[in-house]
Amino acid sequence: MVGLFMKKIQLRSLSLVAIIILLTGCATPSTQKYDMMLNQWLNKTELQLVSYWGAPDKSYTLGNQQFLSYYSRYNEDIPNVSENYQPFFINGLPDYDPVLENVNYQIVPEVCKTTFTIEKGVVVAWNHHGAGCIAN
């Protein structure tokens, strides 16, 4: 009897975990703020969207839906550091302290494509792709 009860609890726990994973979807901590910002554009007019975002980089019409796409890019500076370890002594025991040499930066462009779906002049949906989709 106890074994059957434990199996039911395990199944419910697994179901709960599966639901949480589905609800979180692809949102990552870095895109959650961007997603929240995009949610504010739902039910806004196309005029409001274009007035704020500017003319879209691409637009496409399919039936009664229009898709407005915007591209953004920023550069991520990733430090490349060479370390040289300088020996020193603490209480007579050797220790090593890194000495940074040749600190330079690798520039990695991060791109984001954000597309809004417009129906009857109103924003009804959005999606985004790319590592650069973050809120400032």
Side-chain angles (χ1 to χ4, degrees):
M1 186 70 161
V2 173
L4 181 62
F5 179 72
M6 291 303 290
K7 284 183 181 181
K8 285 184 180 181
I9 289 176
Q10 288 174 343
L11 285 175
R12 287 188 179 151
S13 297
L14 287 175
S15 298
L16 182 60
V17 169
I19 290 170
I20 290 171
I21 290 171
L22 288 174
L23 289 177
T24 57
C26 296
T28 62
S30 61
T31 63
Q32 285 178 344
K33 286 183 182 180
Y34 193 69
D35 294 347
M36 290 183 344
M37 185 270 299
L38 292 178
N39 280 335
Q40 295 175 0
W41 288 100
L42 294 174
N43 300 315
K44 302 281 186 183
T45 66
E46 180 180 356
L47 178 61
Q48 289 172 309
L49 179 73
V50 173
S51 294
Y52 185 83
W53 284 69
D57 296 306
K58 284 188 175 184
S59 65
Y60 182 77
T61 302
L62 180 64
N64 65 344
Q65 291 184 324
Q66 185 177 13
F67 303 92
L68 305 180
S69 295
Y70 295 88
Y71 293 87
S72 61
R73 174 185 161 162
Y74 75 94
N75 290 328
E76 176 94 23
D77 296 332
I78 300 174
N80 290 328
V81 178
S82 299
E83 292 182 353
N84 181 15
Y85 288 90
Q86 178 86 24
F88 65 95
F89 293 89
I90 298 178
N91 296 329
L93 298 173
D95 203 345
Y96 295 91
D97 192 22
V99 176
L100 301 180
E101 296 178 348
N102 300 327
V103 179
N104 57 21
Y105 292 89
Q106 174 185 4
I107 298 173
V108 178
E110 300 290 354
V111 179
C112 178
K113 175 186 176 188
T114 304
T115 302
F116 294 94
T117 305
I118 311 290
E119 284 184 8
K120 298 179 183 174
V122 175
V123 177
V124 295
W126 55 262
N127 65 59
H128 60 76
H129 302 284
C133 298
I134 59 172
N136 294 333

